[in-house]
Amino acid sequence: MRSEVRNTSGEWRDARPASRRWAIGLLPALLAVLVVVPAAAQQTRVVGSVTSGESGQALAGVNVMVKGTPIGTLTNATGRFTLQVPSPNDTLVFALIGFADLEEPLNGRTTLTVALDVSAVALAEIVVTGYGTQQRRDVTGSVSSLDGSEVTEMATPSVVQSLQGKVAGMQVTPISGEPGADAIVRIRGVGTLNDASPLYVVDGMLVDDIQFLSAHDVQSVDVLKDASATAIYGSRGANGVIIITTKRGVESRRTTYRLNAYAGTQSVLNPIDMVNAQQYAELINELEANLGGTPPFPTGYTGPDTDWQDEIFESAPIQNVQFTASGGTDRITYYFSANYIDQSGVIPHSAFERMTVRLNNDYALSPAIKIGHNLNFTATDDQRPPNVLGSIYHAEPTVAPRNDDGTFNEISRATTGNPAASVFYTNNRGGAQRMVGNVYGEATFLDNFLFRSSFGLDYERTNFRSFVPVFYVSATQQNVESNVGIRFENTDSWLWENTLTWNYLADPHRLTVLGGITAQSFYNEDFGGSRVNVAGDDPSLWYLNAAAAEGSTNFNSASDWRMLSYLFRTNYTLMDRYLFTGSMRVDGSSRFGETNRYGYFPSLAVGWDLAQESFMADMDAVSALKLRASWGKIGNDKIGSYPAVALITGNLNYPLGGELRYGAAPISLANPDVRWEETGQYNIGVDAAFWGGRVQTTVDYYNRTTEGILVRVPIPSYVGVNQQPFVNAAEVRNKGLEGLVTWFGQVGPLNLELSANGATIDNEVLALGQGREEIFGGAVAGMGFTTRTVPGEPIGAYWGYRVEGVFQTPEEIASSPIRGGEQPGDLRYADLNGDGVINAEDMTFIGSPIPDVIYGFDADLRLGAFDMGIGFSGQSGNEVLNAKKARRFHAENFEVSYLDRWNGVGTSNWEPRITSAGHNYQPSERWLEDGSFLKLHSARLGYRVPQELSQRMGVDLARLYVSGTSLFLWTDYSGYTPELTSGTVINSGLDQLNVLYPPARIVTVGVDLSF
């Protein structure tokens, strides 16, 4: 993993020899080369042509693949192809946008002609629905599906980020632009005041995140959104379920190898517009004059002019290599992959490395018994910079980063210090090792029964180490004693699931009944400590024993919880047109007391395939039409491990009578009556395809209400606890309309697929209760709370004064309601209650961080050997509170919007005069900005080398490509990004530079080879 040393100039550099670094990245390529010759031997040449079954026209750009392998080619402009296949008994798969896939066995033939039919393929695909699969036509719930190829379009270690803009009703918000950072996912809005994250299911293993996954290992993604689809997962599916199926080997197929590698560069996507040194001097002089002080800069300042963003941010490399080998016999299938990603950061001293190894095997012990495993091993190493965005933003541009002698300059007017020094003296290193996987066994008996047992593990070990040397920049930016800190955390989980499935098929009936029992256990423990006066600065001394024992600190804590569940589901189809699904899950959680430990979560759904009815026979334009309706109830227990148990803290020690007395006190009170949060949801949907499947669409209306949300309620202070107890008090409703439309078309030789999705979100708090009339949040230094959650409003709605303009003259102030002390140039707030005074009674709701609409757009085009794809994502109707601009203590730097400030009658009626706190820095509309955006989050252009040429190079398939990630961001927001996350749902939408890292634009070039 990464190792660093300081060079002679004091900078940190990668200590690995260049040959070793490249060897790590090229090792899979070297392994692949070893198998090129035997892989290409003894092949059969097949020629053929492909036409449209509808028009008879020759089809260009058809993807012709040997089933179960990456071997393939494309038809030319006349629809013809030539392909070298491993065996004359192989099966060819023909695929083209807008046509149904066709599998054609060769059966010894070396020439063939095939015709592709236009078809409503979306209703024929296989969908993973949880503990089973269904054809899309039989699905009664709201389920969105993606192919694995759609998650490899973005150059990111995070599979979650690659889902942005691709699923209707799913909002994906990157946590930050830091290397290796993940994303926050919200499906159909926020339905709780606690953890609103979805459940992830990877090959049957239930996990809380998928940061361990390599995108190239993903076969498919299925997103379950309504209660009918998610209720089978009970409480774990309260916020939606994302099912990941990884790739596997293919029976009776020789080993095939694939190598995908890319490398590229990153740069800051959207820097903030800050004033330059001359403008800063002008504004500071004006500020001091407004405060009655002496302007510190001469008129026409000509000193240093530092752009701190340019000084700190840098271009950074990224590289990724994926090597896979897969195949099988008639008894065994296997899939092996190794992935290495190395992503440096646009802020120095930041980087992320991850090595992932996956092994998916299946073993047929007999025609009735099969066993297998899905194993994923991941090791990460990351270097984390300090949170310097605040100091970059506030640092005065009139100071150079360093003095002439190379020492760091003091930042005297801003309070955040020299950001270059902060980066230089910070050494934060972290790492993790994680194993996620399961082993399973399946047995088929009595023809119609299938028993499956699966045991899974999720073991993770993380570590973090920080070191700060002795240094001095200024009286407020120094460290007089070197210090080292460490932290280790263990998180373990096991899952044991047993299910029995009965299938009954007798025309006109199709019936599937599933029953099962599952058990899961979680355990987490962390410990660490710190010491000062380390023996030296070398990384070999960054350990506690190398520092002074005096003044050392330590900590250690743990938590655990368990769940036992029973599940049942039945799917029934009558005459291929009438559909019924019913499910029940019973969850028992140790997080609740004995009287409320079990929750019962049922669901019902019906569907009607109208296209099968006789009265639809003459409607040629309608290829498929299905109506769906569902209702269900789901639970949620993501509130921590011990709401029903009183917690105690120790180490409350004090001297008494010359001796040290050891004490303890309660942290929180127990509430044994807490019960499950319950979410009731109903959904009405329609799936349709028109004109032979050229146009396909899905539309859903949903209404979801969560009752009994666990919130902390106020208790008298004399009780003497730090945390208020949980009670089931709140109620939140989300409703909206979501839809997806896809169009397949041809324009001459150009084949294309266009899709657009969108969803509305209407979020409202219906009740808080139990002494909780409101919940304040969004605290901003010097301003106080900026959000207020109350019944009738969205969660975390902004709370403040409405702004009616800027006072221009003393006479205007004298004739208007005021807070007191206003001067010309100050903001004029609205007197909402009409009492002639501006005070807290005039504060009101001024906006919401929750968007009204989220949407995405994708286009895939193919022209001969070229392919191109672009993906957009966006949202509208929400506001961002620019809290970074509001946090002023005196002489910090300014955004360019301050240049439009009031400095005389008529100069501005929105941006007030320059001040540094007080009246103009109250929570108000002044700080709200439009949070709408449109982002080009992915783009690619690829070229497939003709098979004749690629086989001369010894490979079956060769594709070259260039790609871009987060290329452009169109927004009116003045910060790095309007995509903001926070620790809690009541604080979302506040930009306090809590996005620890600016998002980056990534451009890569890559190659995809198959052997």
Side-chain angles (χ1 to χ4, degrees):
M1 306 302 285
R2 185 181 298 276
S3 177
E4 295 187 329
V5 297
R6 272 182 174 153
N7 59 25
T8 55
S9 62
E11 296 288 348
W12 291 100
R13 64 175 177 83
D14 196 328
R16 297 175 300 177
S19 59
R20 180 187 165 196
R21 296 198 301 270
W22 282 107
I24 293 175
L26 294 178
L27 179 59
L30 296 176
L31 293 174
V33 170
L34 296 177
V35 300
V36 169
V37 175
Q42 298 180 349
Q43 295 189 334
T44 300
R45 184 173 181 266
V46 176
V47 297
S49 62
V50 185
T51 61
S52 168
E54 182 179 39
S55 64
Q57 179 184 357
L59 295 178
V62 178
N63 198 7
V64 185
M65 303 290 292
V66 179
K67 184 177 180 180
T69 78
I71 301 172
T73 188
L74 298 172
T75 58
N76 61 20
T78 61
R80 297 188 61 79
F81 70 91
T82 301
L83 182 64
Q84 298 289 339
V85 301
S87 167
N89 293 317
D90 277 325
T91 296
L92 300 187
V93 179
F94 299 84
L96 181 64
I97 293 173
F99 291 85
D101 290 356
L102 174 66
E103 294 189 6
E104 184 73 15
L106 290 176
N107 295 328
R109 293 177 295 171
T110 57
T111 62
L112 71 161
T113 300
V114 298
L116 300 186
D117 294 327
V118 177
S119 176
V121 293
L123 297 186
E125 65 181 346
I126 299 299
V127 177
V128 181
T129 55
Y131 302 100
T133 60
Q134 287 182 280
Q135 273 198 331
R136 169 71 68 178
R137 62 180 298 173
D138 291 336
V139 174
T140 55
S142 180
V143 181
S144 295
S145 301
L146 301 173
D147 186 78
S149 61
E150 298 182 68
V151 302
T152 58
E153 297 174 355
M154 297 178 63
T156 171
S158 171
V159 173
V160 174
Q161 286 195 32
S162 65
L163 301 178
Q164 188 175 38
K166 295 185 177 297
V167 177
M170 186 168 78
Q171 183 181 16
V172 178
T173 305
I175 294 176
S176 81
E178 185 174 352
D182 205 16
I184 298 295
V185 177
R186 299 288 181 258
I187 297 176
R188 291 185 167 179
V190 178
T192 178
L193 301 178
N194 301 297
D195 188 350
S197 301
L199 170 70
Y200 298 93
V201 182
V202 181
D203 295 324
M205 184 64 190
L206 279 58
V207 293
D208 292 326
D209 69 88
I210 52 175
Q211 289 181 278
F212 59 90
L213 268 182
S214 166
H216 294 277
D217 289 333
V218 176
Q219 179 68 37
S220 65
V221 180
D222 295 276
V223 181
L224 315 185
K225 295 182 286 187
D226 73 333
S228 172
T230 63
I232 195 67
Y233 290 106
S235 63
R236 304 297 302 277
N239 302 309
V241 179
I242 299 177
I243 300 177
I244 309 289
T245 303
T246 61
K247 296 176 181 177
R248 318 195 72 77
V250 178
E251 292 182 4
S252 303
R253 176 60 55 198
R254 69 168 177 83
T255 302
T256 57
Y257 304 88
R258 191 156 193 167
L259 175 68
N260 185 288
Y262 66 75
T265 184
Q266 308 163 91
S267 59
V268 174
L269 173 62
N270 193 37
I272 299 176
D273 290 330
M274 307 296 294
V275 301
N276 61 31
Q278 292 75 23
Q279 295 164 333
Y280 173 81
E282 177 186 350
L283 294 175
I284 288 297
N285 285 345
E286 191 172 313
L287 171 64
E288 291 296 341
N290 289 339
L291 298 177
T294 302
F297 293 100
T299 303
Y301 170 83
T302 58
D305 188 357
T306 301
D307 185 327
W308 284 101
Q309 294 179 99
D310 283 348
E311 287 292 335
I312 302 299
F313 299 148
E314 60 185 13
S315 296
I318 181 174
Q319 64 173 327
N320 181 84
V321 180
Q322 171 95 4
F323 172 75
T324 63
S326 64
T329 68
D330 59 342
R331 304 293 293 271
I332 299 174
T333 65
Y334 49 90
Y335 175 88
F336 167 81
S337 72
N339 176 267
Y340 171 74
I341 186 166
D342 185 0
Q343 182 182 18
S344 297
V346 295
I347 296 178
H349 296 187
S350 62
F352 175 80
E353 283 184 292
R354 185 184 69 196
M355 185 70 187
T356 301
V357 175
R358 171 167 287 275
L359 185 60
N360 293 348
N361 284 18
D362 301 289
Y363 311 90
L365 303 184
S366 73
I369 300 177
K370 184 170 70 171
I371 63 174
H373 55 74
N374 309 281
L375 303 176
N376 192 105
F377 304 92
T378 303
T380 63
D381 186 11
D382 61 292
Q383 187 179 16
R384 308 171 193 175
N387 181 11
V388 293
L389 288 194
S391 56
I392 292 172
Y393 178 81
H394 287 122
E396 52 198 271
T398 54
V399 176
R402 292 177 183 263
N403 297 304
D404 293 339
D405 61 1
T407 59
F408 290 103
N409 251 325
E410 176 182 355
I411 304 295
S412 58
R413 292 185 174 85
T415 59
T416 50
N418 186 322
S422 298
V423 171
F424 183 82
Y425 289 117
T426 299
N427 305 282
N428 297 328
R429 303 294 300 273
Q433 300 79 43
R434 187 173 181 182
M435 192 282 287
V436 180
N438 57 12
V439 294
Y440 75 90
E442 290 183 351
T444 303
F445 58 97
L446 300 179
D447 295 331
N448 297 329
F449 289 90
L450 173 66
F451 174 75
R452 178 184 174 93
S453 182
S454 172
F455 184 80
L457 296 173
D458 183 358
Y459 280 3
E460 184 174 20
R461 304 292 181 262
T462 63
N463 62 83
F464 177 76
R465 191 178 307 273
S466 66
F467 172 77
V468 183
V470 175
F471 70 87
Y472 181 89
V473 178
S474 67
T476 58
Q477 190 177 10
Q478 61 174 313
N479 190 49
V480 297
E481 295 179 313
S482 61
N483 59 79
V484 61
I486 64 168
R487 177 173 183 162
F488 295 90
E489 186 173 6
N490 303 332
T491 302
D492 303 334
S493 170
W494 59 258
L495 171 68
W496 187 22
E497 297 189 317
N498 297 276
T499 59
L500 180 64
T501 304
W502 176 57
N503 291 294
Y504 175 76
L505 300 175
D507 192 47
H509 308 284
R510 291 202 305 273
L511 176 64
T512 301
V513 179
L514 169 75
I517 181 171
T518 77
Q520 192 162 12
S521 175
F522 303 83
Y523 177 79
N524 173 269
E525 181 178 2
D526 67 340
F527 66 92
S530 64
R531 287 190 178 185
V532 298
N533 290 325
V534 185
D537 291 355
D538 191 271
S540 64
L541 298 173
W542 296 355
Y543 296 89
L544 298 185
N545 280 352
E550 183 179 357
S552 63
T553 66
N554 61 77
F555 63 88
N556 184 213
S557 64
S559 65
D560 68 341
W561 65 283
R562 293 174 175 82
M563 182 174 288
L564 178 65
S565 306
Y566 306 90
L567 56 97
F568 170 83
R569 182 179 63 205
T570 181
N571 297 309
Y572 175 64
T573 301
L574 176 64
M575 300 170 62
D576 286 333
R577 66 194 70 176
Y578 307 115
L579 315 171
F580 170 82
T581 300
S583 69
M584 167 66 78
R585 178 148 176 155
V586 180
D587 279 336
S589 173
S590 65
R591 286 173 166 168
F592 301 102
E594 293 184 2
T595 57
N596 295 306
R597 181 150 293 168
Y598 285 90
Y600 300 85
F601 310 113
S603 75
L604 296 172
V606 293
W608 181 17
D609 191 348
L610 275 77
Q612 302 298 318
E613 299 290 356
S614 57
F615 59 79
M616 297 287 294
D618 297 331
M619 298 184 182
D620 296 334
V622 181
S623 305
L625 181 61
K626 181 179 66 175
L627 303 181
R628 297 177 281 105
S630 68
W631 168 89
K633 183 174 289 188
I634 323 167
N636 186 23
D637 67 343
K638 293 183 178 181
I639 52 166
S641 297
Y642 306 110
V645 180
L647 298 181
I648 306 295
T649 184
N651 291 326
L652 300 178
N653 311 323
Y654 61 96
L656 180 65
E659 296 183 5
L660 185 64
R661 305 290 182 175
Y662 297 93
I667 299 175
S668 65
L669 294 182
N671 181 5
D673 295 326
V674 293
R675 54 179 173 80
W676 295 83
E677 294 182 1
E678 292 186 347
T679 299
Q681 181 177 185
Y682 63 82
N683 188 97
I684 300 173
V686 57
D687 302 319
F690 304 95
W691 299 292
R694 294 290 188 187
V695 177
Q696 301 176 10
T697 184
T698 295
V699 179
D700 284 272
Y701 170 80
Y702 67 92
N703 190 306
R704 182 178 69 174
T705 301
T706 304
E707 300 176 339
I709 295 177
L710 290 157
V711 297
R712 297 189 184 274
V713 296
I715 57 175
S717 58
Y718 59 75
V719 176
V721 294
N722 293 330
Q723 295 181 352
Q724 300 163 337
F726 275 109
V727 299
N728 297 90
E731 185 176 346
V732 174
R733 185 203 64 203
N734 284 277
K735 63 180 181 180
L737 188 69
E738 62 186 30
L740 166 70
V741 59
T742 302
W743 175 71
F744 304 94
Q746 289 180 277
V747 181
L750 178 66
N751 297 281
L752 67 161
E753 175 183 345
L754 305 178
S755 65
N757 71 80
T760 64
I761 303 174
D762 182 0
N763 175 273
E764 181 181 354
V765 178
L766 301 181
L768 290 178
Q770 295 274 346
R772 243 325 171 183
E773 296 181 357
E774 58 192 5
I775 299 175
F776 285 100
V780 178
M783 183 184 294
F785 295 113
T786 59
T787 73
R788 185 172 178 237
T789 300
V790 300
E793 298 291 335
I795 294 174
Y798 299 122
W799 179 252
Y801 294 103
R802 295 201 178 279
V803 176
E804 293 187 330
V806 173
F807 287 118
Q808 303 293 325
T809 64
E811 292 76 17
E812 187 178 356
I813 297 173
S815 61
S816 303
I818 60 174
R819 296 178 69 245
E822 284 90 331
Q823 298 181 32
D826 287 339
L827 293 175
R828 185 173 71 249
Y829 297 131
D831 180 18
L832 296 184
N833 64 359
D835 63 358
V837 178
I838 302 298
N839 54 30
E841 300 299 320
D842 296 303
M843 297 179 73
T844 187
F845 293 99
I846 55 177
S848 171
I850 300 176
D852 294 329
V853 178
I854 57 176
Y855 57 90
F857 172 80
D858 287 276
D860 288 285
L861 303 91
R862 181 177 296 161
L863 179 62
F866 291 92
D867 62 89
M868 185 179 75
I870 55 175
F872 293 88
S873 60
Q875 65 186 40
S876 65
N878 64 300
E879 287 81 30
V880 173
L881 196 146
N882 192 346
K884 66 182 188 305
K885 182 179 177 181
R887 296 182 62 182
R888 294 196 62 83
F889 302 98
H890 187 59
E892 294 82 6
N893 199 10
F894 300 88
E895 294 187 26
V896 294
S897 60
Y898 277 92
L899 297 176
D900 298 325
R901 82 285 183 193
W902 186 95
N903 62 353
V905 176
T907 53
S908 174
N909 199 37
W910 179 257
E911 190 69 38
R913 66 192 180 103
I914 301 295
T915 57
S916 61
H919 175 84
N920 294 327
Y921 288 81
Q922 299 300 308
S924 73
E925 290 178 315
R926 177 192 178 190
W927 313 112
L928 289 189
E929 299 185 32
D930 186 0
S932 304
F933 71 87
L934 173 64
K935 181 168 67 173
L936 176 56
H937 65 248
S938 65
R940 74 177 191 280
L941 175 63
Y943 172 73
R944 179 179 290 188
V945 177
Q947 192 192 31
E948 296 83 356
L949 179 58
S950 64
Q951 288 195 334
R952 291 177 191 171
M953 299 184 296
V955 297
D956 295 319
L957 177 148
R959 177 176 173 269
L960 308 176
Y961 63 91
V962 295
S963 70
T965 298
S966 297
L967 289 176
F968 296 101
L969 177 67
W970 294 274
T971 180
D972 290 332
Y973 180 59
S974 61
Y976 288 112
T977 175
E979 297 183 272
L980 302 172
T981 61
S982 64
T984 64
V985 297
I986 63 173
N987 294 329
S988 62
L990 270 71
D991 189 354
Q992 301 196 67
L993 292 175
N994 52 314
V995 175
L996 304 181
Y997 213 99
R1001 174 186 290 111
I1002 305 174
V1003 178
T1004 63
V1005 295
V1007 60
D1008 192 359
L1009 304 175
S1010 296
F1011 308 92

